[in-house]
């Protein structure tokens, strides 16, 4: 998207005022709003309503949503719908489901912040990055594990494995 390129260039130049102006224009753009709605509605959870039980399953509702997303100055997120999903060990995992409107607002702001995060991102960071895939991560890992030498001395490489299974179930969410 051209506007995102402009945001990235302004960020590189250090012109934060221009960045904020361009981000505001991007978030209020009808095209960006439609992209955000499409992204949310084409997602697997796009047909899952939040606490407001709104589905936006006809064009009239979608047009009203576009109008609501144009006026974010007084926007306030609604509480999430809390459900519990059974896990294989018999415990329940809490899941919060935001409203579709809240998900669209999150996507709008993600689109505005993405250029800055990409400019600042580590080249070898692959999680949740557009245009980066599992294959890219594997290729980078293979190259980084190749031994290298400096002045005739070979330096070994290390692989660390961390088990984070159940991490979010065991930390305090307060």
């Amino acid at each position: 998207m051209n506007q995102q390129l402009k945001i990235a260039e302004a960020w590189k130049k250090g012109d934060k005022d221009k960045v904020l102006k361009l981000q505001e224009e991007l978030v209020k753009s009808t095209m960006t709003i439609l992209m955000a709605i499409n992204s949310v509605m084409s997602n697997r959870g796009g047909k899952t309503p939040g606490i407001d039980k709104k589905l936006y399953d006809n064009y009239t509702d979608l047009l009203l949503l576009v109008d609501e997303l144009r006026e974010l100055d007084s926007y306030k997120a609604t509480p999430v719908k809390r459900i519990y999903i059974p896990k294989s060990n018999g415990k329940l995992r809490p899941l919060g489901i935001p409203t579709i409107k809240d998900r669209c607002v999150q996507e709008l702001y993600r689109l505005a912040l993405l250029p800055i995060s990409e400019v600042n991102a580590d080249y070898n960071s692959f999680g949740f990055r557009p245009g980066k895939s599992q294959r890219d991560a594997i290729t980078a890992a293979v190259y980084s594990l190749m031994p290298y030498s400096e002045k005739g001395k070979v330096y070994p490489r290390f692989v660390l494995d961390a088990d984070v299974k159940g991490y979010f179930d065991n930390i305090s969410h307060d």
Side-chain angles (χ1 to χ4, degrees):
M1 183 183 294
N2 193 30
Q3 190 80 351
Q4 287 178 316
L5 289 173
K6 289 179 183 176
I7 292 170
E9 288 169 4
W11 182 261
K12 285 180 191 175
K13 291 177 184 173
D15 191 349
K16 293 182 181 174
D17 291 334
K18 186 171 183 179
V19 168
L20 290 173
K21 180 178 170 268
L22 290 168
Q23 285 176 322
E24 187 174 341
E25 288 174 9
L26 181 74
V27 168
K28 292 185 178 190
S29 159
T30 303
M31 186 59 71
T32 309
I33 290 170
L34 291 172
M35 284 175 57
I37 292 172
N38 183 54
S39 176
V40 169
M41 299 304 281
S42 61
N43 191 313
R44 248 181 20 184
K47 302 286 186 257
T48 307
I51 201 164
D52 63 355
K53 298 182 178 135
K54 288 186 182 176
L55 276 177
Y56 301 98
D57 53 359
N58 61 55
Y59 291 114
T60 305
D61 290 343
L62 287 172
L63 289 173
L64 289 172
L65 179 60
V66 169
D67 285 340
E68 289 176 25
L69 292 173
R70 281 193 183 120
E71 300 299 322
L72 293 178
D73 295 334
S74 61
Y75 169 76
K76 186 168 170 66
T78 55
V80 296
K81 179 180 178 180
R82 181 64 74 183
I83 63 169
Y84 293 89
I85 298 173
K87 292 172 44 174
S88 59
N89 64 4
K91 292 183 180 181
L92 295 175
R93 181 172 72 90
L95 179 67
I97 302 173
T99 64
I100 291 174
K101 179 181 177 182
D102 289 342
R103 283 180 261 171
C104 289
V105 171
Q106 290 172 7
E107 178 64 11
L108 269 175
Y109 285 114
R110 186 191 74 79
L111 291 169
L113 294 171
L114 185 64
I116 295 171
S117 66
E118 284 300 307
V119 166
N120 294 327
D122 178 32
Y123 180 76
N124 285 317
S125 172
F126 299 95
F128 306 103
R129 301 251 327 266
K132 300 276 187 166
S133 69
Q134 181 181 7
R135 185 173 302 268
D136 295 327
I138 292 168
T139 302
V142 167
Y143 279 113
S144 68
L145 291 172
M146 290 179 178
Y148 68 97
S149 63
E150 187 176 296
K151 296 182 182 173
K153 186 173 180 183
V154 176
Y155 294 91
R157 299 293 184 141
F158 297 93
V159 175
L160 302 175
D161 182 21
D163 183 8
V164 294
K165 185 176 180 185
Y167 172 75
F168 288 102
D169 296 335
N170 295 311
I171 63 168
S172 171
H173 290 278
D174 294 332

